[in-house]
Amino acid sequence: MSVIPFLDLVSQHLELEEDLVSVFRSALEKAGFVGGPAVEDFEPAFADFCHVRHAIGVGRGTHALRFAVKAAGVQAGDTVLTVPNTFIATTEAISQAGARFDFVDIDPHTYTMDPVKLAEYLETRCTRGAGARGLVSTRTGSPVTAVVPVHLYGQMADMDPILELAARFQLLVVEDACQAHGATYFSRSRFRWFRAGSMGHAAAFSFYPGKNLGACGEAGAITTDDDWIARQARMLRDHGQSAKNLHDIEGYNGRLDAVQAGILSVKLRRLETWNEQRRERARAYDTLFNDVRTGVTLPHTPRWSKPVHHLYVVRVPDREGLQKHLAAAGIATGIHYPIPLHLTRAYEGRGYRASDFPIAEQAAREVLSLPMYPTLSAESQRRVVTEIADGLSLTPAVA
Ligand SMILES: *Cc1c(COP(=O)(O)O)cnc(C)c1O
């Protein structure tokens, strides 16, 4: 029995081996390892890819998000709204920027921030405070100044209503685009498509190896159209320097490696093709599942969304049972994410309880991520779907 991995980076690297090795060779020859020309080449190329004016390379996606939140103007003690069903890096970055996070629930079909829940939070769980920064959360007791929608599994959040609420309540919007390089969204109000990373005041990308665009190590980037935010982000990543030895603010050591930047430039040239291959694989799964009618809930793609399928996530009632069945059949799967953040141990004692965010909680119990990568074979996909159909009919009905 051959094993079907969850993710396959090796075939991608073998295909690009010569180019990747020459990146490393050139870094050795120049002895330039941090920042420099390789980073300066990659940044405008990635900015073009995202249809924005600035991309700022940093050491990892979590840095990108922290710097984006700070650079956009979130102040210490502010409340920043996000969703509970994301990787903990989202809330870590908000906390490490000095702010407090709070949650709104998700849409049950797309798993991204539900704009209706956001409106409800802003309209019913905040009071008008004194002064210019007017909206105060009754839960956190501090001003709500920003929102971080997460473009989960490669699909953008419903940005039109989020941006409209943000404008109405004067909130900053920082996209967590760490899973959505190249995803697009059709704005009904502006009547055109937008790329992930180009809709908010700023956005954060991760180039962790398993992401759609991955380094051979840690890396990330901030994107923005705003010159001031770009300048702040550049200073934050490099000890607050505006020029050598001029530390305008206190920053971080958050720079991007030259080797990683070179590798990212090589891989960026393939990203459109890889994303298209992921879309083909997603369509193939959809078709296979529709043929067997397994009762599996498939990923939902609204008309306004063109996702890049970082993950292909289905929902099943007995997720644990099915995952075991698949593992026994040599099929690797993942769960993104099993514990919603408001119930994770790190956030015990913050006043959250089970049933606070029922949609996110139910998703956490039922989601299962299937193997998904550009080189996934049609044969493997057939086997995955056959084994799922098999596993589900073996599941005893609950008495
Ligand atoms: C990967 C990821 C991050 C963090 O990126 P790192 O590069 O691992 O620091 C943040 N948010 C989401 C949604 C992610 O998937």
Side-chain angles (χ1 to χ4, degrees):
M1 176 186 74
S2 65
V3 167
I4 302 176
F6 183 61
L7 171 73
D8 172 24
L9 294 174
V10 175
S11 54
Q12 176 186 101
H13 290 157
L14 288 178
E15 182 191 335
L16 297 172
E17 188 170 345
E18 278 316 306
D19 291 345
L20 297 177
V21 168
S22 73
V23 165
F24 191 59
R25 199 173 288 127
S26 115
L28 285 178
E29 279 160 9
K30 293 182 193 133
F33 299 110
V34 178
V39 173
E40 283 152 27
D41 285 348
F42 171 67
E43 288 178 335
F46 190 66
D48 279 354
F49 178 84
C50 297
H51 300 174
V52 289
R53 297 187 36 235
H54 306 281
I56 298 100
V58 296
R60 52 209 71 210
T62 311
H63 284 161
L65 199 51
R66 186 205 305 173
F67 301 164
V69 164
K70 280 191 111 162
V74 170
Q75 305 287 311
D78 288 1
T79 292
V80 177
L81 300 178
T82 189
V83 288
N85 62 325
T86 177
F87 185 48
I88 193 169
T90 310
T91 47
E92 283 175 333
I94 293 167
S95 299
Q96 289 162 8
R100 291 198 53 169
F101 59 80
D102 201 3
F103 301 112
V104 298
D105 212 343
I106 54 166
D107 175 271
H109 306 291
T110 61
Y111 312 121
T112 56
M113 181 177 279
D114 186 343
V116 173
K117 302 282 170 51
L118 177 63
E120 201 179 284
Y121 189 106
L122 297 168
E123 285 163 1
T124 67
R125 283 190 239 134
C126 293
T127 53
R128 284 264 161 213
R133 302 165 79 227
L135 207 59
V136 173
S137 162
T138 49
R139 190 191 327 246
T140 65
S142 81
V144 180
T145 58
V147 53
V148 177
V150 179
H151 302 327
L152 201 70
Y153 309 152
Q155 172 153 274
M156 288 178 70
D158 190 2
M159 293 300 287
D160 272 352
I162 294 173
L163 289 169
E164 195 186 302
L165 285 165
R168 177 143 70 92
F169 291 96
Q170 291 180 290
L171 307 179
L172 299 160
V173 178
V174 177
E175 299 166 66
D176 183 337
C178 288
Q179 299 187 2
H181 322 65
T184 55
Y185 174 88
F186 187 80
S187 166
R188 285 84 86 201
S189 59
R190 284 180 280 175
F191 213 71
R192 69 176 181 89
W193 290 90
F194 285 84
R195 286 223 158 179
S198 71
M199 295 196 84
H201 296 90
F205 287 87
S206 165
F207 305 123
Y208 184 76
K211 304 289 163 104
N212 286 34
L213 176 62
C216 296
E218 304 271 4
I222 298 131
T223 56
T224 182
D225 267 326
D226 186 297
D227 296 345
W228 193 83
I229 293 175
R231 193 179 128 81
Q232 291 298 112
R234 281 181 201 289
M235 289 198 291
L236 284 168
R237 77 166 168 190
D238 191 18
H239 301 289
Q241 290 187 103
S242 56
K244 187 140 185 82
N245 292 322
L246 291 180
H247 303 275
D248 291 16
I249 54 175
E250 193 176 88
Y252 302 84
N253 176 354
R255 295 164 304 225
L256 177 59
D257 281 11
V259 171
Q260 301 308 340
I263 284 167
L264 289 166
S265 290
V266 168
K267 290 195 180 186
L268 180 59
R269 297 195 275 273
R270 308 301 303 276
L271 184 55
E272 297 279 13
T273 306
W274 288 335
N275 281 344
E276 197 45 49
Q277 288 169 333
R278 285 175 184 271
R279 289 190 182 113
E280 283 162 16
R281 271 62 188 168
R283 280 196 293 270
Y285 269 137
D286 291 348
T287 309
L288 288 165
F289 276 115
N290 286 329
D291 288 349
V292 295
R293 302 198 177 276
T294 51
V296 169
T297 307
L298 303 182
H300 172 67
T301 305
R303 294 227 312 271
W304 43 257
S305 167
K306 208 174 169 208
V308 289
H309 304 284
H310 172 59
L311 298 169
Y312 188 89
V313 178
V314 298
R315 283 172 89 136
V316 287
D318 177 23
R319 190 248 323 269
E320 264 65 36
L322 182 62
Q323 194 176 32
K324 278 201 199 90
H325 175 87
L326 292 174
I331 297 167
T333 54
I335 299 174
H336 302 86
Y337 296 90
I339 305 173
L341 290 178
H342 64 291
L343 302 177
T344 211
R345 184 180 289 172
Y347 301 139
E348 266 173 23
R350 296 203 182 210
Y352 296 114
R353 278 173 308 192
S355 81
D356 277 351
F357 305 102
I359 311 291
E361 289 166 30
Q362 195 185 346
R365 285 192 293 271
E366 297 180 353
V367 290
L368 184 67
S369 311
L370 306 184
M372 170 52 82
Y373 42 89
T375 54
L376 180 64
S377 73
E379 173 50 32
S380 297
Q381 291 195 272
R382 268 195 302 277
R383 235 182 82 202
V384 170
V385 175
T386 307
E387 285 298 342
I388 288 176
D390 225 54
L392 289 178
S393 57
L394 289 176
T395 306
V398 181

